[in-house]
Amino acid sequence: MSRKTVRDYIRTIPDFPHEGILFRDVTTLFADARGMRLCVDQLLDPYAGQRIDAVAGLEARGFILGGAIAHQLGTGFVPIRKKGKLPGPTFAQDYALEYGQATVEVHRDALPAGARVLLVDDLLATGGTARAGIALLERLGCEVMGCAFVIDLPDLGGRKALEAMGMELHTLCSFEGA
């Protein structure tokens, strides 16, 4: 019997949220104890031995992963949230969506300048949300040590966009197409 990979735990749902889209659902990965542990361990692997002061997670599934990774590292967790969800003074960053724009925010006092941060999310598509998160962390004066994602959709260009910014990327699996 062969061992399951992270990809094996991810369910594909056709035509969600729109016709022609193959939605990569990580809730099946998160619901399985072995799958979740495998995922967190593999996301952490390239950063073993590096000093990481905090983990930043992108709303919303990045919160699930980021909290688990921060726990394993013994560091704090910083949420990067959709506009209007954080109670204190924030920095905001707009980014492009397929149709329109969105904004993410981080508390202005979330981390001290010079903190070394790992940015985490479940999926890398166009990279817009991740680029906005990186911009926010850099406005705080942080050093983004890397970006870790469960899934890469390489056809959508996010990896190339983040690498062009000089970011180190770590992904666990990829799916062709949108």
Side-chain angles (χ1 to χ4, degrees):
M1 182 174 164
S2 64
R3 300 188 97 187
K4 287 179 90 171
T5 67
V6 166
R7 184 184 173 110
D8 295 328
Y9 290 96
I10 297 168
R11 169 174 57 184
T12 298
I13 300 174
D15 299 323
F16 183 83
H18 304 289
E19 187 173 333
I21 301 292
L22 293 174
F23 185 81
R24 308 307 177 169
D25 181 18
V26 293
T27 62
T28 48
L29 169 67
F30 294 167
D32 187 282
R34 286 187 183 140
M36 183 66 167
R37 176 159 301 281
L38 179 66
C39 177
V40 170
D41 289 349
Q42 288 182 2
L43 285 172
L44 277 170
D45 187 54
Y47 307 101
Q50 292 186 37
R51 188 188 104 217
I52 296 179
D53 301 314
V55 176
L58 297 167
E59 190 163 333
R61 290 171 298 273
F63 294 177
I64 297 164
L65 294 165
I69 291 169
H71 173 76
Q72 287 294 103
L73 290 172
T75 67
F77 172 76
V78 173
I80 297 177
R81 301 223 48 198
K82 294 175 183 171
K83 185 178 180 173
K85 300 291 185 179
L86 293 171
T90 62
F91 287 122
Q93 183 67 44
D94 295 332
Y95 64 99
L97 295 171
E98 187 176 351
Y99 301 105
Q101 279 199 316
T103 304
V104 289
E105 297 178 323
V106 69
H107 277 132
R108 289 178 181 252
D109 62 356
L111 292 165
R116 296 164 55 95
V117 182
L118 175 63
L119 182 69
V120 177
D121 203 2
D122 68 319
L123 179 81
L124 176 59
T126 65
T129 310
R131 287 192 313 269
I134 291 164
L136 288 172
L137 293 168
E138 290 176 344
R139 282 176 72 187
L140 291 173
C142 297
E143 180 182 354
V144 180
M145 300 303 300
C147 302
F149 302 92
V150 177
I151 300 168
D152 181 17
L153 300 178
D155 295 344
L156 298 181
R159 174 177 285 279
K160 288 181 184 176
L162 295 181
E163 287 174 342
M165 295 174 67
M167 288 294 120
E168 176 187 315
L169 266 73
H170 176 56
T171 60
L172 302 185
C173 62
S174 64
F175 291 90
E176 301 303 317

